[in-house]
Amino acid sequence: MSATLDNMMRIPGGTFTMGSDDHYPEEKPAHKVSVAPFWIDRHAVTNRDFARFVEATGYVTMAERPANPEDYPGADPAMLAPASVVFVPPPGRVDLSNHFNWWQYIPGADWRHPRGLDTSIDGMDEHPVVHVAYEDALAYAQWLGKELPTEAEWEFAAKGGADGSEFAWGDELEPDGRYMANTWQGEFPWDNQVLDGHRWTAPVGTFPENGYGLYDMIGNVWEWTTDWYQEHNRIQHACCTLENPRGGAREDSLDPRNPQANIPRRVMKGGSHVCAPNYCRRYRPAARMAQPIDTSTCHLGFRCVVRG
């Protein structure tokens, strides 16, 4: 299918400050990067969009397929059944250093069943599709003749022309008490006060657009980028200049804390509805995290780009 530019915005390109010296170590150092002009989806790919793709192609996502035992030597066979990662809030305060206190691998969770087999996406056509692994997002983009954004393209677009501001809309998370993105209000991970009106995902376009006319670049769902994950300071040493970053290498994206898992990681951007001030202040354009390419979750989606 040849790409169309419907519901996409032209991003002018330019030079901007990528990363931040003021928050998490993986965002350092702040550095100048240039990107060429490109087009990007105004909002994340929705359940309606993804359903159209699946209907046309018969595509089956990774979460809907049994895992290949050869990729996970020694794994419990029960863990190889179709499943995905779901946020399950605990009943009270827990140890925040152990993410297994709120993330669970749920059999039957997939894009049609976002919190398990007993849930559905009925009435959620305009919500962002979730439980998509990297290859699922890539397959959708290629079906449309599009691509997935690089980390630099994504961050430049998310800033909306407001380079130098902490958030895409300025330096206050909630200017004049207004909620600008779907994030967590209350004490994570057990007390979600839902002051912004959304306990889980929100329909795309619910919150204000940024300076480039893009919705939900911050909060709602994290979004895949094409970059292999590597800390900015390591990329700095690997490249000729900070103005010409390579985004890391596949072999360098492996998690050194988990050497037995030989699964490469890509960069995801933007934060989600479970980002909270007391735990994860990653609802900013500069924020970034590593995501294994085989792992889908209930708070990770994507959008597409067209270059040139």
Side-chain angles (χ1 to χ4, degrees):
M1 182 180 295
S2 58
T4 70
L5 302 178
D6 294 344
N7 209 25
M8 302 186 82
M9 296 298 291
R10 177 74 166 170
I11 307 301
T15 300
F16 74 108
T17 303
M18 187 175 182
S20 172
D21 294 324
D22 301 325
H23 294 279
Y24 295 99
E26 69 271 12
E27 301 171 22
K28 298 179 180 179
H31 54 284
K32 293 294 184 181
V33 171
S34 297
V35 296
F38 62 100
W39 293 82
I40 190 167
D41 290 341
R42 294 198 71 191
H43 56 69
V45 173
T46 64
N47 288 319
R48 186 196 303 276
D49 298 330
F50 202 77
R52 188 177 299 118
F53 160 62
V54 169
E55 181 178 357
T57 64
Y59 186 85
V60 178
T61 63
M62 285 191 72
E64 297 171 281
R65 301 177 233 150
N68 184 351
E70 295 179 2
D71 294 334
Y72 307 95
D76 179 350
M79 296 297 292
L80 301 179
S84 193
V85 178
V86 178
F87 175 75
V88 180
R93 292 188 175 94
V94 293
D95 178 5
L96 293 181
S97 68
N98 182 5
H99 63 269
F100 293 108
N101 283 324
W102 54 87
W103 289 116
Q104 295 184 20
Y105 200 55
I106 304 293
D110 57 43
W111 73 275
R112 293 186 178 92
H113 308 94
R115 294 188 293 281
L117 277 176
D118 59 345
T119 66
S120 77
I121 55 173
D122 290 349
M124 298 175 62
D125 284 351
E126 299 308 314
H127 286 241
V129 66
V130 293
H131 295 296
V132 282
Y134 182 80
E135 70 176 54
D136 304 327
L138 185 61
Y140 174 92
Q142 291 175 339
W143 175 67
L144 288 176
K146 298 182 180 182
E147 300 177 87
L148 299 178
T150 66
E151 180 181 4
E153 288 170 336
W154 196 101
E155 188 168 329
F156 184 82
K159 285 175 175 283
D163 196 20
S165 297
E166 182 167 351
F167 305 104
W169 50 84
D171 291 319
E172 294 184 44
L173 177 60
E174 299 160 8
D176 299 321
R178 185 182 186 190
Y179 295 104
M180 304 295 289
N182 181 14
T183 60
W184 182 288
Q185 298 87 47
E187 185 177 342
F188 181 87
W190 67 282
D191 178 28
N192 187 351
Q193 297 179 10
V194 198
L195 300 179
D196 63 9
H198 301 279
R199 185 173 299 277
W200 300 94
T201 58
V204 297
T206 297
F207 294 87
E209 62 187 31
N210 74 1
Y212 288 147
L214 307 177
Y215 292 104
D216 305 314
M217 295 296 285
I218 299 301
N220 215 15
V221 293
W222 286 93
E223 298 184 13
W224 285 108
T225 74
T226 61
D227 285 39
W228 296 114
Y229 179 81
Q230 196 171 334
E231 293 182 7
H232 280 326
N233 58 358
R234 294 179 63 196
I235 297 172
Q236 176 182 4
H237 297 145
C239 301
C240 300
T241 67
L242 283 173
E243 288 73 20
N244 185 29
R246 298 179 192 158
R250 185 183 190 278
E251 60 272 19
D252 294 327
S253 74
L254 302 177
D255 189 348
R257 300 166 301 178
N258 191 16
Q260 68 273 21
N262 194 32
I263 305 298
R265 301 176 297 168
R266 303 271 187 179
V267 176
M268 63 178 188
K269 298 282 286 182
S272 78
H273 60 86
V274 295
C275 284
N278 72 302
Y279 178 70
C280 175
R281 298 177 60 86
R282 290 186 171 90
Y283 32 65
R284 297 169 290 103
R288 60 201 298 268
M289 288 192 73
Q291 181 72 3
I293 60 171
D294 67 337
T295 303
S296 58
T297 76
C298 67
H299 74 329
L300 171 58
F302 69 102
R303 72 182 74 207
C304 302
V305 299
V306 173
R307 298 188 178 95

